[in-house]
Amino acid sequence: MEQGSAIVERLLNAATLVAVVCAIILTGTALSRRRTEASSVMSPQRDSAVVSPQTWRALVASGHRFGPPRAPLTIVEFGDFECPVCGTFENTLRRVEKANPNQIAVIFHHWPLAYHRLAYPAAKAAECAAQQGKFQAYHDLLYEHQDSLGLISFDAFAGRAEVPDLATFKACNDDSRPVKRIDADIAAALQVGGQGTPTVIVNGVRLASIPDSAALALRLRRAAASGR
């Protein structure tokens, strides 16, 4: 009986030891997770970067502007028409603009990523539409119908965007030469430290993460309060 009691005691001690070890592991995991979560919350602020005033003025002056010239919040976006995250961000912009009319200006620059087969052709077609004053309409249609890129022709998009001279549009789009404006935008995206699309710069600050509606609304309130 004494031998049996000793065995039981040893088993109980072993079980207690295992429970203690498991508790230590779980506590360490929880602390590690909290540190990781805290780091991910802080990193967008830590990694955001102010672009130089000269670069900011050049980006605002050279892109395609949507919105009033003296909006409190000016957003420079480097976008890719085939990028699904860009499409989501465009929807976010539309919601914030609708909720705050005449308070936001968006300056769009191209950044067609090399691994998106239709991104550069779409940007080129949008520039052909821009030559006839229809960039925004074409831009909006491409994002609204992202899932149909390659299925709906760029000529058909031009018709839907009400580009006035479709023959001129087609001749422009059939030109095989690179588009200087698109290539200049790509160079500018890399110069400002863009890590992918969309790269977003708000009132001269390149953000490390893509802002949602609440983040943009907060920045708008702060900009309006500060008079920027």
Side-chain angles (χ1 to χ4, degrees):
M1 291 293 292
E2 291 180 0
Q3 184 179 2
S5 297
I7 292 172
V8 170
E9 185 177 354
R10 284 198 296 271
L11 289 173
L12 288 173
N13 289 338
T16 301
L17 178 62
V18 169
V20 170
V21 171
C22 288
I24 291 172
I25 292 172
L26 289 173
T27 301
T29 302
L31 290 173
S32 177
R33 184 182 297 115
R34 289 194 189 102
R35 285 194 296 268
T36 300
E37 289 172 351
S39 175
S40 68
V41 169
M42 292 185 292
S43 62
Q45 297 177 355
R46 185 170 62 245
D47 295 340
S48 296
V50 178
V51 302
S52 72
Q54 181 181 2
T55 297
W56 174 246
R57 287 192 296 269
L59 291 174
V60 170
S62 60
H64 294 283
R65 173 182 285 271
F66 313 146
R70 297 187 179 276
L73 201 69
T74 298
I75 300 170
V76 167
E77 174 194 0
F78 287 92
D80 171 315
F81 287 116
E82 198 175 346
C83 161
V85 183
C86 295
T88 300
F89 181 62
E90 287 288 332
N91 290 333
T92 298
L93 286 176
R94 299 294 87 76
R95 288 195 298 272
V96 177
E97 287 171 330
K98 185 176 181 180
N100 303 276
N102 301 317
Q103 297 298 299
I104 297 173
V106 177
I107 315 297
F108 185 87
H109 287 267
H110 299 285
W111 192 3
L113 302 179
Y115 57 85
H116 284 158
R117 180 174 61 88
L118 296 170
Y120 198 103
K124 179 181 178 181
E127 285 302 313
C128 290
Q131 292 182 9
Q132 300 188 51
K134 289 294 183 178
F135 180 85
Q136 185 169 3
Y138 205 92
H139 159 283
D140 291 351
L141 281 168
L142 289 176
Y143 277 122
E144 287 170 14
H145 300 281
Q146 256 191 338
D147 57 350
S148 297
L149 287 179
L151 301 176
I152 300 174
S153 71
F154 293 125
D155 290 349
F157 275 121
R160 295 185 187 187
E162 298 182 351
V163 173
D165 189 336
L166 294 179
T168 298
F169 172 88
K170 180 173 175 54
C172 171
N173 200 40
D174 287 345
D175 190 332
S176 61
R177 290 174 296 180
V179 181
K180 290 182 180 179
R181 180 165 191 161
I182 298 173
D183 293 345
D185 280 354
I186 295 171
L190 297 174
Q191 180 187 6
V192 298
Q195 298 296 312
T197 56
T199 287
V200 181
I201 306 173
V202 179
N203 281 7
V205 177
R206 177 177 56 76
L207 306 185
S209 59
I210 303 163
D212 59 14
S213 300
L216 287 178
L218 177 60
R219 286 182 177 273
L220 174 58
R221 289 195 297 272
R222 289 175 175 172
S226 66
R228 286 191 61 187

